[in-house]
Amino acid sequence: MIKFEQVSKTYPGGQQALRKVSFHIEPGEMAFLTGHSGAGKSTLLKLISIMERPTVGQVFINGHNLNKIHRRQIAFIRRDIGMIFQSHQLLMEKTVFDNVALPLVIEGYSRKETTKRVHAALEMVGLRDKIRSLPIMLSGGEAQRVGIARAVVNKPPLLLADEPTGNLDPKLSMEIIRLFEDFNQAGVSVFIATHDLGLIARMKYRSLTLKQGQMITDGLSEDWDSSESKAYDF
Amino acid sequence: MSILFKGRSQGAHSSKIGMFQRINMFFVSHVRQALGSLGELWRAPLASMMTIGVLGLSITLPSTFYILVKNAESIAENWQQASEITLFLRKDTQSKDASQLVTRLGLWSEIDSVTYIPAAEGLIEFQQQSGLGEALSYLDENPLPDVILVRPTSQNTAPTAAKLLLDKLNRERHVEVGKLDIKWLERLHGFLSIAKELIYAVALLLFLAVVLIIGNTIRLNILSRRDEILVMKLVGATDAFIHRPFMYTGMWYGLLGGLMAWFAVLLLLWWMGGSIDALTAQYAKNFDLTGLDVTSLIVMLGLSIFLGLAGSMISVHKHVRSIEPK
Ligand SMILES: Nc1ncnc2c1ncn2[C@@H]1O[C@H](COP(=O)(O)OP(=O)(O)OP(=O)(O)O)[C@@H](O)[C@H]1O
Ligand SMILES: [Mg+2]
């Protein structure tokens, strides 16, 4: 589903964020991306959603080389990727309904279909009753769940999340991760960047670790021994 | 259709939806966006009014001048058609001789009609038009000669033919001098064409200013909605989709500015109407001020909508592109 081949990224300022990163995430897989602050997690996700381009190397989604995607096609690529951000990126002056409906409006769905899908997406994240609220009226966890509803409302085959549990308490974080698990059960590939190791440790998922832009471990989180998890400190 | 995932449908391109429904949805979404943009204008009425005002006035000015020159031209055309030769008779001509001459001239094949204005009548008319009134009655004798107005047939109104006729008339015994005044007509035409060119130049500059003003207004609009544009790009909006509401805003500016200009021209011409009537009555009988018809309304609206769209187009292409999620 996602394949990196010897990808390096150097920012215009000279900061090398990724060095020769290679990995492959299979369709239908759920995986975590971890690493210390500044390790290059966000950069890696941005290369998948084409918010940044690699300096060297190739990124593939479903076998398509993203280097060959023209600027004008980027919008259509993003319609296949549900993205979730730490700062949920909601439109503050629009209602929850309008926020979740945005991808559908952009894709030109009919009013009827839009309403149906928005209701279904909000049902999944348990926020049916907040449909007419504005984002400022929501708690952090609720706003995050609205962001998730927006990411899945057009049923993308791939979900990317950058610190989705960033400033949520452990219980709420777990709820969010359970949501991702549900989508994964439904066949969606899920890739989550986080530095909440405690969260990952409790689950049996593949986890990729970055250290100063290099991929240092790639394996099941269960298999970690204590020396490896001490390879970096947060 | 998705680029990355074969068979995954994106939105309205789903195969379940028929052709008719798709076209219908396309229009519904455009109408919705157009009304949305109008609503945006309504929400900031003062700023919108100012932009519309600038646009309206910038179109009003050249339009008014254009209509005036256009009408002056059509008056001048009338004059050329009815170009007259004025014959001033010798002071010692008896009225009997004069009327004989009038009858004779009436038979000439080159001449359409002849009007005789005896000196006394001429004086009365002069008294009325000049406003000198009573002052003229203190004169010992009438200073004006008898006058015959000769209107050539249409084949003889062209400058050369009219000149030949004038020479022939000048050879008449009782004619002191004949005058065929084409010079001033030529001067008038020259003046009108300069005026027209000047109007075109001024209009061009004003239109350019309008495009820049609208472009700048839209630029501020875009910048104030930067966050929204970022989010829209993140969830897969194309540039064209993001451009649309701004283009509609430009269109509304154009439409409303054009309407305002039309009303302003109407008002101006109505206000000047009295003096224009008095002026034209002296020269042409059946003269109507033209330029307030449906065609001119359509031209003005079309022009201002075009300017509005041009301004917003330049702006969106330049600024929406530079807003990219990072
Ligand atoms: N737009 C940019 N321009 C220049 N340098 C950047 C840019 N974005 C990130 N960097 C640098 O690249 C490196 C990796 O940044 P990145 O945001 O990918 O880290 P991260 O792993 O997401 O960190 P965090 O956990 O704090 O979010 C950092 O050293 C950062 O300073
Ligand atoms: Mg980050």
Side-chain angles (χ1 to χ4, degrees):
Chain A
M1 179 57 90
I2 304 171
K3 196 162 100 190
F4 273 55
E5 274 183 5
Q6 298 293 314
V7 175
S8 298
K9 172 69 188 177
T10 309
Y11 280 108
Q15 177 69 39
Q16 196 167 22
L18 291 176
R19 297 164 210 243
K20 298 204 167 166
V21 172
S22 301
F23 66 91
H24 188 185
I25 291 174
E26 300 293 333
E29 208 180 334
M30 175 151 160
F32 286 92
L33 177 66
T34 64
H36 62 88
S37 180
K41 303 181 294 293
S42 299
T43 303
L44 195 149
L45 292 188
K46 282 175 185 171
L47 292 178
I48 301 172
S49 54
I50 324 188
M51 284 152 76
E52 295 288 352
R53 297 278 196 175
T55 317
V56 198
Q58 276 137 12
V59 179
F60 297 86
I61 299 182
N62 198 30
H64 293 263
N65 189 340
L66 295 188
N67 288 347
K68 300 222 174 79
I69 298 296
H70 188 266
R71 207 193 85 88
R72 295 170 159 281
Q73 297 175 307
I74 293 176
F76 300 99
I77 300 299
R78 294 199 181 134
R79 293 178 189 183
D80 290 329
I81 305 173
M83 283 188 279
I84 294 134
F85 311 88
Q86 179 174 0
S87 55
H88 37 71
Q89 303 277 13
L90 299 177
L91 298 175
M92 298 315 280
E93 64 279 21
K94 296 267 167 72
T95 62
V96 166
F97 178 92
D98 288 337
N99 267 290
V100 176
L102 187 62
L104 304 178
V105 172
I106 285 169
E107 290 184 41
Y109 279 84
S110 69
R111 196 77 179 160
K112 206 173 114 208
E113 183 74 8
T114 302
T115 310
K116 203 180 93 193
R117 288 200 180 207
V118 170
H119 283 202
L122 285 173
E123 193 77 62
M124 271 189 271
V125 299
L127 286 177
R128 259 307 295 274
D129 52 328
K130 301 282 184 188
I131 196 161
R132 295 277 151 234
S133 308
L134 289 172
I136 31 166
M137 299 152 72
L138 302 177
S139 72
E142 285 168 341
Q144 194 56 271
R145 280 185 283 161
V146 172
I148 293 171
R150 185 183 63 190
V152 299
V153 74
N154 63 346
K155 301 185 181 147
L158 173 59
L159 268 184
L160 296 182
D162 194 355
E163 315 277 5
T165 59
N167 35 26
L168 302 181
D169 63 47
K171 189 169 157 286
L172 265 177
S173 300
M174 208 55 214
E175 270 176 37
I176 299 282
I177 296 300
R178 293 279 171 243
L179 263 178
F180 285 124
E181 281 182 318
D182 291 344
F183 295 123
N184 182 239
Q185 299 282 288
V188 179
S189 311
V190 183
F191 195 30
I192 303 167
T194 180
H195 51 223
D196 189 352
L197 279 183
L199 190 73
I200 309 169
R202 274 174 276 157
M203 287 174 294
K204 211 170 110 185
Y205 283 108
R206 182 176 166 195
S207 152
L208 307 159
T209 308
L210 283 172
K211 187 183 180 189
Q212 284 165 8
Q214 278 175 310
M215 189 72 78
I216 55 165
T217 58
D218 179 355
L220 289 180
S221 48
E222 271 196 335
D223 304 340
W224 284 357
D225 64 49
S226 50
S227 66
E228 265 178 306
S229 46
K230 274 183 200 142
Y232 47 83
D233 38 318
F234 296 100
Chain B
M1 200 52 102
S2 162
I3 297 170
L4 299 178
F5 299 91
K6 234 181 170 164
R8 172 173 140 78
S9 61
Q10 284 186 341
H13 305 286
S14 157
S15 52
K16 277 182 286 179
I17 299 169
M19 188 71 175
F20 171 75
Q21 210 178 342
R22 206 177 300 172
I23 293 170
N24 187 34
M25 262 154 54
F26 177 81
F27 279 111
V28 167
S29 114
H30 269 268
V31 167
R32 208 183 287 154
Q33 275 180 318
L35 292 178
S37 298
L38 190 61
E40 290 284 318
L41 293 190
W42 184 247
R43 243 160 278 149
L46 201 70
S48 306
M49 291 281 272
M50 268 155 71
T51 308
I52 292 165
V54 168
L55 195 134
L57 292 180
S58 303
I59 294 169
T60 304
L61 207 66
S63 302
T64 310
F65 285 137
Y66 183 76
I67 286 171
L68 289 180
V69 167
K70 213 54 203 176
N71 283 289
E73 258 180 345
S74 76
I75 297 173
E77 220 110 276
N78 279 342
W79 284 331
Q80 187 118 55
Q81 286 301 310
S83 94
E84 277 177 344
I85 296 173
T86 311
L87 299 177
F88 299 98
L89 302 189
R90 286 178 198 282
K91 264 305 209 193
D92 54 8
T93 309
Q94 301 299 307
S95 64
K96 186 172 59 107
D97 294 330
S99 53
Q100 244 172 23
L101 180 64
V102 169
T103 326
R104 216 147 36 77
L105 290 180
L107 298 174
W108 286 21
S109 60
E110 302 99 318
I111 292 174
D112 186 49
S113 67
V114 182
T115 315
Y116 177 50
I117 304 171
E121 243 174 68
L123 185 65
I124 293 168
E125 202 176 311
F126 182 64
Q127 251 172 341
Q128 285 169 350
Q129 285 195 5
S130 64
L132 291 174
E134 287 304 306
L136 289 175
S137 56
Y138 292 108
L139 293 173
D140 291 337
E141 61 170 322
N142 186 349
L144 300 176
D146 292 333
V147 168
I148 297 177
L149 297 178
V150 175
R151 196 161 291 130
T153 55
S154 55
Q155 295 99 308
N156 291 286
T157 47
T160 40
K163 268 225 178 73
L164 279 177
L165 178 61
L166 176 66
D167 290 343
K168 203 168 155 194
L169 288 168
N170 265 329
R171 285 195 291 274
E172 283 294 324
R173 194 156 53 86
H174 292 294
V175 174
E176 168 93 49
V177 65
K179 272 190 95 167
L180 170 71
D181 210 344
I182 313 186
K183 270 264 158 52
W184 73 272
L185 252 181
E186 284 166 355
R187 259 184 239 135
L188 178 71
H189 278 286
F191 169 76
L192 284 179
S193 75
I194 289 174
K196 236 163 66 176
E197 230 127 84
L198 202 70
I199 289 167
Y200 286 145
V202 168
L204 209 70
L205 288 177
L206 282 172
F207 293 165
L208 199 70
V210 164
V211 169
L212 293 179
I213 288 167
I214 299 233
N216 194 47
T217 308
I218 299 286
R219 181 182 70 91
L220 294 176
N221 257 343
I222 291 172
L223 293 185
S224 77
R225 291 172 63 182
R226 197 191 147 80
D227 293 342
E228 193 179 338
I229 291 172
L230 280 178
V231 171
M232 295 216 293
K233 285 199 173 183
L234 279 177
V235 297
T238 55
D239 281 1
F241 182 87
I242 297 170
H243 290 172
R244 240 186 271 156
F246 297 109
M247 296 293 284
Y248 275 118
T249 304
M251 185 204 76
W252 287 120
Y253 278 140
L255 182 69
L256 296 172
L259 276 176
M260 181 186 152
W262 196 67
F263 280 119
V265 170
L266 224 90
L267 205 72
L268 263 174
L269 292 180
W270 170 78
W271 188 57
M272 298 192 310
S275 43
I276 289 174
D277 281 348
L279 184 74
T280 51
Q282 293 186 28
Y283 299 101
K285 278 184 195 98
N286 302 317
F287 178 75
D288 274 324
L289 199 59
T290 56
L292 298 172
D293 50 2
V294 179
T295 328
S296 69
L297 174 65
I298 291 170
V299 168
M300 280 170 76
L301 287 186
L303 182 72
S304 66
I305 288 176
F306 169 78
L307 293 176
L309 284 177
S312 48
M313 181 127 94
I314 292 169
S315 203
V316 293
H317 277 278
K318 194 152 170 280
H319 299 289
V320 169
R321 202 187 166 127
S322 67
I323 299 177
E324 279 295 338
K326 280 278 177 251

